[in-house]
Amino acid sequence: MLKTNAFDAASSSNVSPEALEMIERRRRLLGPAYQLFYKNPVHLVRGEGVWVFDAAGRRYLDVYNNVPSVGHCHPYVLEALIRQASTLNTHTRYLHDNVLNFAEKLVSTMPSELSQVMFTCTGSEANDLALRIAEDFTGGTGVIVTEFSYHGMTKAIAGLSASMGPYVKVNGDARVIPAPIHNPANPAEVGKKFAADVRAALADMHRHGIKPAALMIDTFFTSDGGFFDPAGFLKEAIDEIHKAGALYIADEVQPGYGRSGEHMWGFQRHGVLPDIVSLGKPMGNGHPMAGITIKPHILERFGSESSYFNTFGGNTVSSAVGLAVLEVIEQEELIPSVGRAGKAILDGISELATRFPAIGSVRGAGLFVSVDFTTPDGKPDSETALAVVNGLREEGVLIGASGPHANILKIRPPLVFTAEHSLILVESLEKVLRKMY
């Protein structure tokens, strides 16, 4: 797996002795598989809204985390968690209003066809469950994913996460296709090419005697580098999948919960209807929650033949938290606010691109913005992107990099980010670039 923005002990000259001691303790106890961000790692101890604070009390603007979707330690969500945790926490095999109230609220935000819910604890589990159901319903095993996709960490789903790198093999019956790269000069070609790539993958499955089960895509193609436009470009590809008798699984773990600033769900931006929607990270504002919504006829046989149970999925505390998150998005009118904040980021960084040639494409939808860094001859420039990421860390802004070459700034803050916070981000980025050029 490409380790973007990873700490390297060989370049630890600016790290304090106290941090080095903690890093060594971490290495000894957690082993080598965990990644640590930044050349100079951050020791966080507290969060509030869009801000996080380190052990020395320094404040950082969080421009990376979609997990605390309505802001770190939101008091309304915390109150719901504490109230229910102090009363009862148990699983879904007992009757309880919480899971039903949460399920009703969740499906009310979806197209009416997606009227049933199953709860898990992680997005990996949600995608794993979605895959099991898709294979059961279609009788197929072939899944189409994009070249630098990330869908989770279970054995089956890691094999559909092409971004994991060559050490983690892509599932044998899966087919990997290019992400739908933006084409401002000819936007109509984006959807046509993506649909052609889907057709080619289906044809290759047919040649090898593989029956297709699903197209599984993150609606924003976030790990691929973030590709959003033109709105509606997914429709032709989804039509091809359905013609082949397969299902469309919309991985909404990153695009969902109002992040587009236009709709609650990323797939709505394209005017398409998934067969299964997988949900995760932002669902619990940091509390481990995930799940799927699904068309009932797709779930019917699986549900009757294969009883499903998840000890913690949909428990009474999680359901109280999930309901509170949805209520905050609604009560605080966050979706229009997301649109305003995202536009301020896009406009601000687009203006910087006119003065700093290292910035290539700037694109986004709401509070998901991707900023390419390229060399003078147009090639991906991961060195500059990672220098910017680490420069912003020193300026008090936490951000990440993504894409196959780690040359793309991944701007994905909590939904409570405002236009004023966007200005702080843009000004900090300008300051870092001025130091570099």
Side-chain angles (χ1 to χ4, degrees), residues 86-102:
S86 65
T87 306
L88 175 71
N89 190 15
T90 190
H91 51 68
T92 54
R93 283 178 167 163
Y94 300 111
L95 288 172
H96 200 278
D97 285 332
N98 279 14
V99 68
L100 303 177
N101 292 339
F102 176 36

PDB file of all heavy atoms in Angstrom, residues 86-102:
ATOM      1  N   SER A  86     -25.702   5.280  29.884  1.00  0.00           N
ATOM      2  CA  SER A  86     -25.973   5.203  31.321  1.00  0.00           C
ATOM      3  C   SER A  86     -27.295   4.496  31.619  1.00  0.00           C
ATOM      4  O   SER A  86     -27.654   4.311  32.792  1.00  0.00           O
ATOM      5  CB  SER A  86     -25.994   6.611  31.922  1.00  0.00           C
ATOM      6  OG  SER A  86     -27.070   7.369  31.403  1.00  0.00           O
ATOM      7  N   THR A  87     -28.021   4.110  30.560  1.00  0.00           N
ATOM      8  CA  THR A  87     -29.323   3.457  30.731  1.00  0.00           C
ATOM      9  C   THR A  87     -29.288   1.986  30.336  1.00  0.00           C
ATOM     10  O   THR A  87     -29.635   1.099  31.131  1.00  0.00           O
ATOM     11  CB  THR A  87     -30.395   4.183  29.891  1.00  0.00           C
ATOM     12  OG1 THR A  87     -30.388   5.558  30.216  1.00  0.00           O
ATOM     13  CG2 THR A  87     -31.777   3.589  30.125  1.00  0.00           C
ATOM     14  N   LEU A  88     -28.866   1.711  29.082  1.00  0.00           N
ATOM     15  CA  LEU A  88     -28.831   0.335  28.571  1.00  0.00           C
ATOM     16  C   LEU A  88     -28.010   0.297  27.293  1.00  0.00           C
ATOM     17  O   LEU A  88     -28.150   1.162  26.435  1.00  0.00           O
ATOM     18  CB  LEU A  88     -30.253  -0.165  28.263  1.00  0.00           C
ATOM     19  CG  LEU A  88     -30.367  -1.538  27.603  1.00  0.00           C
ATOM     20  CD1 LEU A  88     -30.002  -2.649  28.598  1.00  0.00           C
ATOM     21  CD2 LEU A  88     -31.777  -1.779  27.049  1.00  0.00           C
ATOM     22  N   ASN A  89     -27.169  -0.706  27.180  1.00  0.00           N
ATOM     23  CA  ASN A  89     -26.486  -0.958  25.912  1.00  0.00           C
ATOM     24  C   ASN A  89     -26.568  -2.444  25.619  1.00  0.00           C
ATOM     25  O   ASN A  89     -25.956  -3.259  26.309  1.00  0.00           O
ATOM     26  CB  ASN A  89     -25.020  -0.510  25.950  1.00  0.00           C
ATOM     27  CG  ASN A  89     -24.387  -0.550  24.567  1.00  0.00           C
ATOM     28  OD1 ASN A  89     -25.070  -0.629  23.559  1.00  0.00           O
ATOM     29  ND2 ASN A  89     -23.069  -0.490  24.514  1.00  0.00           N
ATOM     30  N   THR A  90     -27.349  -2.784  24.585  1.00  0.00           N
ATOM     31  CA  THR A  90     -27.501  -4.188  24.225  1.00  0.00           C
ATOM     32  C   THR A  90     -27.729  -4.314  22.729  1.00  0.00           C
ATOM     33  O   THR A  90     -27.793  -3.314  22.018  1.00  0.00           O
ATOM     34  CB  THR A  90     -28.648  -4.837  25.028  1.00  0.00           C
ATOM     35  OG1 THR A  90     -28.621  -6.251  24.816  1.00  0.00           O
ATOM     36  CG2 THR A  90     -30.005  -4.273  24.623  1.00  0.00           C
ATOM     37  N   HIS A  91     -27.849  -5.542  22.255  1.00  0.00           N
ATOM     38  CA  HIS A  91     -27.852  -5.793  20.817  1.00  0.00           C
ATOM     39  C   HIS A  91     -29.275  -5.814  20.239  1.00  0.00           C
ATOM     40  O   HIS A  91     -30.260  -5.580  20.937  1.00  0.00           O
ATOM     41  CB  HIS A  91     -27.111  -7.099  20.508  1.00  0.00           C
ATOM     42  CG  HIS A  91     -27.571  -8.266  21.314  1.00  0.00           C
ATOM     43  ND1 HIS A  91     -28.819  -8.835  21.156  1.00  0.00           N
ATOM     44  CD2 HIS A  91     -26.963  -8.966  22.301  1.00  0.00           C
ATOM     45  CE1 HIS A  91     -28.957  -9.857  21.976  1.00  0.00           C
ATOM     46  NE2 HIS A  91     -27.830  -9.952  22.702  1.00  0.00           N
ATOM     47  N   THR A  92     -29.347  -6.127  18.951  1.00  0.00           N
ATOM     48  CA  THR A  92     -30.616  -6.008  18.216  1.00  0.00           C
ATOM     49  C   THR A  92     -31.535  -7.220  18.354  1.00  0.00           C
ATOM     50  O   THR A  92     -32.587  -7.263  17.718  1.00  0.00           O
ATOM     51  CB  THR A  92     -30.331  -5.776  16.717  1.00  0.00           C
ATOM     52  OG1 THR A  92     -29.471  -6.817  16.229  1.00  0.00           O
ATOM     53  CG2 THR A  92     -29.667  -4.420  16.498  1.00  0.00           C
ATOM     54  N   ARG A  93     -31.163  -8.201  19.154  1.00  0.00           N
ATOM     55  CA  ARG A  93     -32.053  -9.359  19.337  1.00  0.00           C
ATOM     56  C   ARG A  93     -33.118  -9.119  20.409  1.00  0.00           C
ATOM     57  O   ARG A  93     -33.920 -10.011  20.683  1.00  0.00           O
ATOM     58  CB  ARG A  93     -31.224 -10.614  19.643  1.00  0.00           C
ATOM     59  CG  ARG A  93     -30.579 -11.168  18.375  1.00  0.00           C
ATOM     60  CD  ARG A  93     -29.720 -12.371  18.633  1.00  0.00           C
ATOM     61  NE  ARG A  93     -29.375 -13.041  17.372  1.00  0.00           N
ATOM     62  CZ  ARG A  93     -28.391 -13.919  17.246  1.00  0.00           C
ATOM     63  NH1 ARG A  93     -27.644 -14.228  18.289  1.00  0.00           N
ATOM     64  NH2 ARG A  93     -28.150 -14.488  16.092  1.00  0.00           N
ATOM     65  N   TYR A  94     -33.078  -7.939  21.014  1.00  0.00           N
ATOM     66  CA  TYR A  94     -34.151  -7.522  21.907  1.00  0.00           C
ATOM     67  C   TYR A  94     -34.894  -6.359  21.244  1.00  0.00           C
ATOM     68  O   TYR A  94     -34.321  -5.600  20.470  1.00  0.00           O
ATOM     69  CB  TYR A  94     -33.593  -7.049  23.252  1.00  0.00           C
ATOM     70  CG  TYR A  94     -32.799  -8.099  23.990  1.00  0.00           C
ATOM     71  CD1 TYR A  94     -31.432  -7.956  24.152  1.00  0.00           C
ATOM     72  CD2 TYR A  94     -33.416  -9.222  24.537  1.00  0.00           C
ATOM     73  CE1 TYR A  94     -30.687  -8.912  24.832  1.00  0.00           C
ATOM     74  CE2 TYR A  94     -32.684 -10.181  25.216  1.00  0.00           C
ATOM     75  CZ  TYR A  94     -31.311 -10.023  25.365  1.00  0.00           C
ATOM     76  OH  TYR A  94     -30.591 -10.972  26.038  1.00  0.00           O
ATOM     77  N   LEU A  95     -36.146  -6.210  21.561  1.00  0.00           N
ATOM     78  CA  LEU A  95     -36.896  -5.055  21.079  1.00  0.00           C
ATOM     79  C   LEU A  95     -36.383  -3.780  21.746  1.00  0.00           C
ATOM     80  O   LEU A  95     -36.117  -3.756  22.953  1.00  0.00           O
ATOM     81  CB  LEU A  95     -38.386  -5.225  21.396  1.00  0.00           C
ATOM     82  CG  LEU A  95     -39.150  -6.257  20.567  1.00  0.00           C
ATOM     83  CD1 LEU A  95     -40.554  -6.446  21.131  1.00  0.00           C
ATOM     84  CD2 LEU A  95     -39.208  -5.831  19.104  1.00  0.00           C
ATOM     85  N   HIS A  96     -36.235  -2.734  20.941  1.00  0.00           N
ATOM     86  CA  HIS A  96     -35.865  -1.434  21.487  1.00  0.00           C
ATOM     87  C   HIS A  96     -36.195  -0.368  20.443  1.00  0.00           C
ATOM     88  O   HIS A  96     -36.027  -0.587  19.236  1.00  0.00           O
ATOM     89  CB  HIS A  96     -34.378  -1.372  21.849  1.00  0.00           C
ATOM     90  CG  HIS A  96     -34.055  -0.270  22.822  1.00  0.00           C
ATOM     91  ND1 HIS A  96     -33.875   1.043  22.419  1.00  0.00           N
ATOM     92  CD2 HIS A  96     -33.903  -0.282  24.159  1.00  0.00           C
ATOM     93  CE1 HIS A  96     -33.624   1.789  23.496  1.00  0.00           C
ATOM     94  NE2 HIS A  96     -33.636   1.011  24.560  1.00  0.00           N
ATOM     95  N   ASP A  97     -36.664   0.781  20.906  1.00  0.00           N
ATOM     96  CA  ASP A  97     -37.047   1.857  19.985  1.00  0.00           C
ATOM     97  C   ASP A  97     -35.854   2.467  19.257  1.00  0.00           C
ATOM     98  O   ASP A  97     -35.988   2.921  18.114  1.00  0.00           O
ATOM     99  CB  ASP A  97     -37.766   2.982  20.746  1.00  0.00           C
ATOM    100  CG  ASP A  97     -39.191   2.608  21.124  1.00  0.00           C
ATOM    101  OD1 ASP A  97     -39.794   1.796  20.397  1.00  0.00           O
ATOM    102  OD2 ASP A  97     -39.691   3.140  22.134  1.00  0.00           O
ATOM    103  N   ASN A  98     -34.687   2.514  19.893  1.00  0.00           N
ATOM    104  CA  ASN A  98     -33.576   3.279  19.317  1.00  0.00           C
ATOM    105  C   ASN A  98     -33.214   2.836  17.907  1.00  0.00           C
ATOM    106  O   ASN A  98     -33.059   3.653  16.998  1.00  0.00           O
ATOM    107  CB  ASN A  98     -32.337   3.177  20.210  1.00  0.00           C
ATOM    108  CG  ASN A  98     -32.393   4.122  21.379  1.00  0.00           C
ATOM    109  OD1 ASN A  98     -33.447   4.664  21.686  1.00  0.00           O
ATOM    110  ND2 ASN A  98     -31.261   4.323  22.051  1.00  0.00           N
ATOM    111  N   VAL A  99     -33.036   1.532  17.715  1.00  0.00           N
ATOM    112  CA  VAL A  99     -32.609   1.055  16.406  1.00  0.00           C
ATOM    113  C   VAL A  99     -33.684   1.326  15.358  1.00  0.00           C
ATOM    114  O   VAL A  99     -33.378   1.623  14.191  1.00  0.00           O
ATOM    115  CB  VAL A  99     -32.220  -0.442  16.451  1.00  0.00           C
ATOM    116  CG1 VAL A  99     -33.430  -1.329  16.699  1.00  0.00           C
ATOM    117  CG2 VAL A  99     -31.479  -0.844  15.177  1.00  0.00           C
ATOM    118  N   LEU A 100     -34.957   1.272  15.755  1.00  0.00           N
ATOM    119  CA  LEU A 100     -36.051   1.532  14.820  1.00  0.00           C
ATOM    120  C   LEU A 100     -36.148   3.020  14.488  1.00  0.00           C
ATOM    121  O   LEU A 100     -36.328   3.397  13.323  1.00  0.00           O
ATOM    122  CB  LEU A 100     -37.371   1.029  15.406  1.00  0.00           C
ATOM    123  CG  LEU A 100     -37.395  -0.460  15.769  1.00  0.00           C
ATOM    124  CD1 LEU A 100     -38.722  -0.831  16.405  1.00  0.00           C
ATOM    125  CD2 LEU A 100     -37.120  -1.321  14.542  1.00  0.00           C
ATOM    126  N   ASN A 101     -35.988   3.870  15.497  1.00  0.00           N
ATOM    127  CA  ASN A 101     -36.025   5.312  15.252  1.00  0.00           C
ATOM    128  C   ASN A 101     -34.876   5.748  14.346  1.00  0.00           C
ATOM    129  O   ASN A 101     -35.056   6.569  13.441  1.00  0.00           O
ATOM    130  CB  ASN A 101     -35.948   6.076  16.579  1.00  0.00           C
ATOM    131  CG  ASN A 101     -37.193   5.876  17.428  1.00  0.00           C
ATOM    132  OD1 ASN A 101     -38.251   5.514  16.918  1.00  0.00           O
ATOM    133  ND2 ASN A 101     -37.079   6.102  18.726  1.00  0.00           N
ATOM    134  N   PHE A 102     -33.700   5.184  14.607  1.00  0.00           N
ATOM    135  CA  PHE A 102     -32.535   5.511  13.782  1.00  0.00           C
ATOM    136  C   PHE A 102     -32.730   5.012  12.355  1.00  0.00           C
ATOM    137  O   PHE A 102     -32.477   5.729  11.383  1.00  0.00           O
ATOM    138  CB  PHE A 102     -31.277   4.910  14.417  1.00  0.00           C
ATOM    139  CG  PHE A 102     -30.026   5.111  13.607  1.00  0.00           C
ATOM    140  CD1 PHE A 102     -29.810   6.274  12.880  1.00  0.00           C
ATOM    141  CD2 PHE A 102     -29.037   4.133  13.584  1.00  0.00           C
ATOM    142  CE1 PHE A 102     -28.637   6.458  12.139  1.00  0.00           C
ATOM    143  CE2 PHE A 102     -27.876   4.302  12.857  1.00  0.00           C
ATOM    144  CZ  PHE A 102     -27.675   5.459  12.129  1.00  0.00           C
TER     145      PHE A 102
END
